[in-house]
Each structure stands twice: as C-alpha cells, then as structure tokens.
Amino acid sequence: IVVILVAEERGYFDALCLDVEIKPSFSTANYPEIAANNAQFASGGSFSEVVDFAIANDAQFVALATEGKTGIDALIVKDGGPTDLEGLRGSTIGVKGKITTSVAAMLAQAGLVEGTDYQTVLLDGFDPKVHIEVPNIVGFPGYKSNEPEQLEAAGIPFTLFDPADYDIPGSFGILYTNAEFLNEHPTAAQDFMRAAMKGLADSIADPAAASEVALSFINASGNAMFLSPEGETARWAVDSQLVADTNANTAVGVPEPELLTAEVTTYASIGLFGGTAPDITPFLDVDLISGVYAADRTVIWPSA
C-alpha cells in the first residue's frame, strides 16, 4: 500500500476533503472488514484473490485499480537443480502455507499437478537464505521483489522460473472497495482513487522517496516484521518497475478486463473458483478510475 502511504503523507487525501484513517493489516485479514463495510478500501494480493474471497463468502467487492498486470510470484530453484519445468517432475517444493497461485498455474500448464507430479512441504519462517539450505526440497516460491533480491544480495546463486515467461497472467496491487460504499458515495470513492493514483505516480517517479515514506509508517507502527530499510527499498524498486512496465496500454492502474478474464480463466484450471471461471463484471469498475485521468494519462487534479 505504498501508494496510499505516499498519498497520505503528501496531503492528497486532505486536499480532496477526505478523512482517511490507515490501519496496518494483511490482505487476507482485510476481506472480512471490507465485506462488512467496517473499512472501505484495501489492497488485494491479486484480482483472483479478491474474486475468490468474494465468491466464497458472498461478498460484494469491486476492484477499482490494478497496479501490476503480471503475477508477483516466481519459483526459486536451488543452484544446480532443474533448468526446465519438466525437470521438476517428482521433486518436492517448499511452501509458506501453500504454493502460490501463479507458480501453481505455471506448473499445471507444464503438466505438473501438486500431489501427483510434485509434492509440497511446509517451511518454517520467512528467510530465503535459510530455505535455500533446507535438504530434500528443490526450491520454493517467492515474490519477485523479495526473496530473489535477498539471495542476490547475499551472493547465493539460484535459478528463477518466472510464470510471466510462460505466459501465465496475473496481477498485484488491487485496490478494491465494497459495492455498498461505492453505490452510496461514488464521488468520495473516485476522489480516493484520484489521490491514490497521484500517490502511485509519485511512487513510480521516485521509488526511493516512496520507500522512505513507507518505512516511516512501518516504524511508527512498531515494525513487527523487522523489515529493513535496504530490503523495503529494494522491494519497491522492483515492484514499481513491474507496475511501470505492465501499464503501457492504459493510464497506470486502469484495469484491463481482457487480462483479468484471462487470469481467472487460467486460475480456474487449477481449482480456484470451484474450477469454473466466473464472470468478472460484478467485481470490476473500470469507468471510475478512468475518470481521474486526462487524455495524456496524467491525474486530473483540482486547481488551487
């Protein structure tokens, strides 16, 4: 949510007469709060994650922005391990909770099904330098902006299998709301997105400064995850480049329905949504965010 933090720190919400309170949490913990309208906006891990929770819990979520239009996860394989996906057949992959969606889809596309063609085992903790040394696993999924950066900084070699290289669609940085709030307060919702997209533009233009803002919020809330300045700066440097690179066809953050349809269709093939790709129309509003942008793809901002 770095873009929200930048928008808050620079007074963009205040400038639009919005009283915004920011609370730290995880994406999965936010869904019940947004569903109950206890909170009005949150960031989802992916569009499919948002839709999957909405369908499973009869929640009326509406995605308003898709910041990254590619999967954010990848498979990290130990140095000297398989150099192609077929080489992973019969192997064991370490996971934190469960295998990430894009990686699972990439393996399934190659004919590798969890539990049949490969196995997964739970890993302890979050340190990739520890995980890379775990015996009897070939590797583990991680976020492109996190675990690979840590391993490279430590000089530890590895092979990265990026689902995007195998035409697996994905998304990250999904700003969404609930239909009740959107229907009752469309102008406030659009102004929230206006401020957020101005924060996103700033965050892409100067990733280091945006990271400093995020770190100030992290430290103010106690930094319970012990996140380092170097690590967080490196993460947003990667993520901001992914956002910039995957928004060539639209203003930054404007959802592309055809990409999101391809995403849910691909993930339905590995069992999400009960195995049937849903109609994404109820879970998406492209017009609201489109209205905050001028023809030159810059954010329309009220004059002083």
Side-chain angles (χ1 to χ4, degrees):
I1 61 166
V2 60
V3 303
I4 303 300
L5 302 180
V6 169
E8 172 70 6
E9 192 270 343
R10 296 188 177 172
Y12 295 154
F13 295 122
D14 291 341
L16 298 174
C17 300
L18 297 175
D19 183 9
V20 176
E21 180 183 1
I22 298 174
K23 293 186 177 181
S25 186
F26 292 99
S27 68
T28 50
N30 291 333
Y31 291 121
E33 297 299 312
I34 303 297
N37 201 27
N38 294 329
Q40 287 68 53
F41 298 94
S43 177
S46 70
F47 180 71
S48 290
E49 181 185 276
V50 173
V51 173
D52 190 43
F53 189 96
I55 292 174
N57 296 276
D58 195 26
Q60 295 182 310
F61 295 148
V62 182
L64 302 178
T66 307
E67 295 173 12
K69 299 172 182 178
T70 182
I72 201 171
D73 52 316
L75 180 63
I76 299 161
V77 171
K78 295 178 180 180
D79 188 43
T83 57
D84 58 31
L85 295 177
E86 179 58 30
L88 296 168
R89 188 179 297 276
S91 65
T92 299
I93 296 172
V95 298
K96 297 183 282 288
K98 64 178 181 178
I99 195 162
T100 57
T101 311
S102 296
V103 169
M106 173 182 68
L107 296 175
Q109 181 175 270
L112 303 175
V113 178
E114 182 179 2
T116 301
D117 304 294
Y118 67 91
Q119 306 299 319
T120 59
V121 296
L122 291 175
L123 297 172
D124 291 326
F126 298 93
D127 190 342
K129 300 184 293 296
V130 173
H131 295 161
I132 202 83
E133 299 295 334
V134 173
N136 303 321
I137 66 169
V138 70
F140 50 91
Y143 294 107
K144 298 173 190 177
S145 60
N146 189 15
E147 287 88 344
E149 295 292 309
Q150 292 189 49
L151 293 173
E152 288 179 358
I156 300 173
F158 60 92
T159 299
L160 190 72
F161 291 93
D162 185 348
D165 294 336
Y166 296 86
D167 297 323
I168 300 298
S171 57
F172 67 91
I174 310 301
L175 295 180
Y176 69 99
T177 186
N178 64 75
E180 177 185 349
F181 179 81
L182 182 60
N183 291 335
E184 293 182 359
H185 305 284
T187 302
Q190 186 169 58
D191 277 344
F192 180 91
M193 295 306 299
R194 188 185 313 278
M197 292 304 98
K198 192 168 177 62
L200 178 56
D202 289 357
S203 300
I204 294 173
D206 193 343
S211 299
E212 288 184 12
V213 171
L215 283 161
S216 70
F217 278 88
I218 289 168
N219 292 331
S221 63
N223 195 2
M225 301 294 290
F226 303 102
L227 302 173
S228 70
E230 297 80 12
E232 294 309 287
T233 300
R235 283 180 63 197
W236 181 241
V238 173
D239 286 343
S240 63
Q241 191 62 56
L242 287 173
V243 171
D245 290 346
T246 59
N247 278 272
N249 296 327
T250 66
V252 178
V254 175
E256 297 181 56
E258 63 277 12
L259 297 182
L260 299 177
T261 298
E263 178 183 328
V264 298
T265 301
T266 297
Y267 294 164
S269 70
I270 60 169
L272 236 59
F273 323 115
T276 301
D279 175 13
I280 67 171
T281 304
F283 308 108
L284 186 64
D285 187 327
V286 178
D287 293 337
L288 184 136
I289 189 176
S290 297
V292 312
Y293 282 110
D296 63 358
R297 297 184 179 177
T298 59
V299 175
I300 301 170
W301 199 251
S303 56

